[in-house]
Amino acid sequence: MRERVTMSDGGEVTRDALARAVREHAGRLAASLVSLLGDFSAAEDLVQDAVETALRRWPVEGIPERPDAWLFTVARRRGLDVLRRESTYRAKLAQLTWPVPPKRDDRLRLIFTCCHPALSRAAQIALTLRVVCGLTTAQIAAAFVVPEPTVAQRITRAKRKIAEAGIPYRLPENPRERLGEVLAVVYLLFNEGYLSSTPDRAQAGDLVDDAEWLAALLTGLMPDEPEAAGLLALIRLHRARGAARFDGDRLVPLAEQDRSRWDHRAIGDATSLLTRAARKHRRPGPYQVQAAIVACHAEAPAWAETDWAQILVLYDMLLHLAPSPVTRLHRAVALWHTRGAGPALDELKDLDDPLARYPLYHATRAELLRDLGRGREAGQADARALELTVNPAQQALLEERLTWR
């Protein structure tokens, strides 16, 4: 159920609607102000003042007919009232008028600046959420369940780094070379929302919302980059299965999910997006391949009808494009369903060290051992997975397996 906020006139507005309005218009305003003022930190401060004012007033007054103009007016007034800088800066603010001339690349430049490789990944995520998505420091802290001063410090250091290192507010000469950094930030944001790495909650829908919005924005701004479309399709395919992922506090494995609860229209739309990007550009990449794997699962009418042979081929392709121990682990699952538990377990032997503290490695190993009739070892592997995971939904599933073994 969507949480609603009652306004002073008795009307209601969903928090989703508030989030969408802020996310869409704050990012556009931030990009325009950075472009105009040439001062990343000052523009970000102005936008955040406007966002915080909106979050106080819109739940009471309702979302204005023109949220972008409303935010612009507050930001401009705030700049004229409290910022006292060099005369050229004041003159720019004084001359700033609505509407701000739209520039297609402004938000794209803003995203690439926030995701500059000189910044740490944690700083990239925090800065992107604050500047591009318009989240406040308190909201980001709540989303990642970390102290607010920690987030504030990350953002401050990131802005200082941008200023001191002279990081320019522009697209790199070859945006494709740094697109991987941008997509990685969005992907990590989605992963944290889809299955939280904290003990306080199983998932964080607000982070998933922000990740999907950023992926959609990148796809619109960079229509010739199939990996952006691939990431958007991947997120939407996962979200389409969301209604069946949990049974109370327990995570429901894919094999047990009620597929009638999946959003099959959304699955079709996401698959079409992926197919169009692949056919048009013929430049396969890791996100497109991951989306194709999820599409294979999503399009299967039942677990028993999953095309594991195709999934195994796709994992081989993914290992070629972006080799990693986690991808090898997932490939072993596909191998299990095509060639048996024995060959799959053999594939895991040299992953003991790189994935020693990865809960899914031990949980997968437990499933393979159980299939081979090695129940005691399977229980030990499940117990190790339970020791390592902090996600409450994963814990509930593992505890159930240990109880019934």
Side-chain angles (χ1 to χ4, degrees):
M1 180 178 293
R2 301 296 189 188
E3 186 176 358
R4 294 183 175 273
V5 179
T6 302
M7 299 182 294
S8 57
D9 63 359
E12 289 185 332
V13 58
T14 65
R15 291 199 183 279
D16 280 355
L18 285 172
R20 282 196 302 271
V22 169
R23 187 186 296 118
E24 174 66 26
H25 300 296
R28 191 183 302 275
L29 178 58
S32 297
L33 288 176
V34 172
S35 179
L36 178 77
L37 302 175
D39 188 324
F40 188 95
S41 183
E44 190 268 335
D45 288 342
L46 290 178
V47 174
Q48 280 303 304
D49 282 335
V51 166
E52 289 172 2
T53 302
L55 292 177
R56 287 196 307 271
R57 293 176 53 181
W58 290 359
V60 177
E61 302 171 3
I63 299 174
E65 185 176 344
R66 292 297 306 274
D68 46 359
W70 192 99
L71 289 169
F72 168 85
T73 300
V74 173
R76 182 179 185 277
R77 185 181 300 126
R78 181 66 171 164
L80 292 172
D81 286 347
V82 304
L83 294 179
R84 295 294 181 264
R85 300 198 176 190
E86 69 273 13
S87 59
T88 55
Y89 178 72
R90 291 201 303 271
K92 287 180 179 179
L93 272 176
Q95 294 168 7
L96 188 57
T97 59
W98 178 261
V100 178
K103 294 182 180 179
R104 175 183 174 275
D105 290 334
D106 276 349
R107 283 188 293 176
L108 196 57
R109 284 198 294 266
L110 186 62
I111 294 172
F112 272 78
T113 301
C114 290
C115 296
H116 194 281
L119 305 177
S120 71
R121 186 53 50 82
Q124 290 174 349
I125 292 173
L127 200 59
T128 300
L129 285 174
R130 179 163 171 114
V131 181
V132 182
C133 297
L135 272 65
T136 66
T137 304
Q139 289 174 315
I140 299 169
F144 283 93
V145 198
V146 297
E148 189 173 341
T150 300
V151 173
Q153 190 175 57
R154 288 176 186 171
I155 293 171
T156 299
R157 286 177 176 173
K159 291 191 291 184
R160 186 183 301 127
K161 179 74 172 180
I162 289 173
E164 292 177 352
I167 294 173
Y169 172 63
R170 67 171 185 234
L171 288 174
E173 290 185 8
N174 185 355
R176 189 176 298 169
E177 291 180 355
R178 203 194 299 168
L179 181 61
E181 289 288 331
V182 176
L183 294 177
V185 166
V186 179
Y187 184 58
L188 286 173
L189 188 62
F190 167 72
N191 280 342
E192 180 59 33
Y194 195 65
L195 195 64
S196 178
S197 63
T198 71
D200 301 80
R201 62 191 175 188
Q203 60 181 339
D206 51 350
L207 292 183
V208 175
D209 289 342
D210 288 322
E212 182 179 358
W213 180 80
L214 283 168
L217 179 62
L218 284 167
T219 301
L221 293 173
M222 305 182 77
D224 293 328
E225 292 297 340
E227 277 291 81
L231 179 54
L232 178 59
L234 175 64
I235 292 172
R236 288 179 172 172
L237 283 165
H238 276 302
R239 296 201 78 173
R241 304 186 316 209
R245 288 184 68 224
F246 295 95
D247 180 10
D249 296 329
R250 173 183 175 271
L251 182 67
V252 180
L254 185 59
E256 301 174 19
Q257 289 181 14
D258 179 357
R259 299 185 179 217
S260 68
R261 300 181 63 195
W262 291 358
D263 186 340
H264 293 280
R265 182 173 182 177
I267 289 170
D269 290 344
T271 302
S272 295
L273 170 65
L274 177 65
T275 302
R276 287 195 303 272
R279 288 177 176 171
K280 179 180 179 181
H281 301 288
R282 300 188 181 279
R283 279 192 281 122
Y287 295 110
Q288 295 170 75
V289 176
Q290 288 183 70
I293 291 169
V294 179
C296 282
H297 284 294
E299 292 177 329
W303 173 257
E305 298 179 56
T306 304
D307 189 350
W308 288 106
Q310 178 64 23
I311 290 173
L312 184 61
V313 169
L314 289 169
Y315 272 120
D316 286 337
M317 185 183 299
L318 185 58
L319 275 174
H320 174 72
L321 293 168
S324 77
V326 172
T327 297
R328 290 185 59 195
L329 172 64
H330 290 301
R331 180 186 178 277
V333 175
L335 193 65
W336 173 24
H337 291 285
T338 53
R339 302 179 191 172
L345 191 62
D346 289 340
E347 287 290 308
L348 297 189
K349 287 180 180 177
D350 58 351
L351 297 180
D352 284 349
D353 185 48
L355 297 181
R357 299 196 60 79
Y358 187 52
L360 186 58
Y361 166 72
H362 297 282
T364 301
R365 191 167 170 274
E367 292 278 18
L368 297 174
L369 289 166
R370 192 173 292 111
D371 192 37
L372 291 169
R374 295 159 63 178
R376 185 181 62 82
E377 294 174 81
Q380 292 172 342
D382 271 333
R384 181 56 178 155
L386 182 58
E387 289 176 6
L388 292 171
T389 188
V390 297
N391 184 282
Q394 286 182 315
Q395 288 176 337
L397 175 61
L398 290 166
E399 287 169 351
E400 179 184 280
R401 288 178 177 174
L402 286 167
T403 300
W404 289 100
R405 67 185 175 90

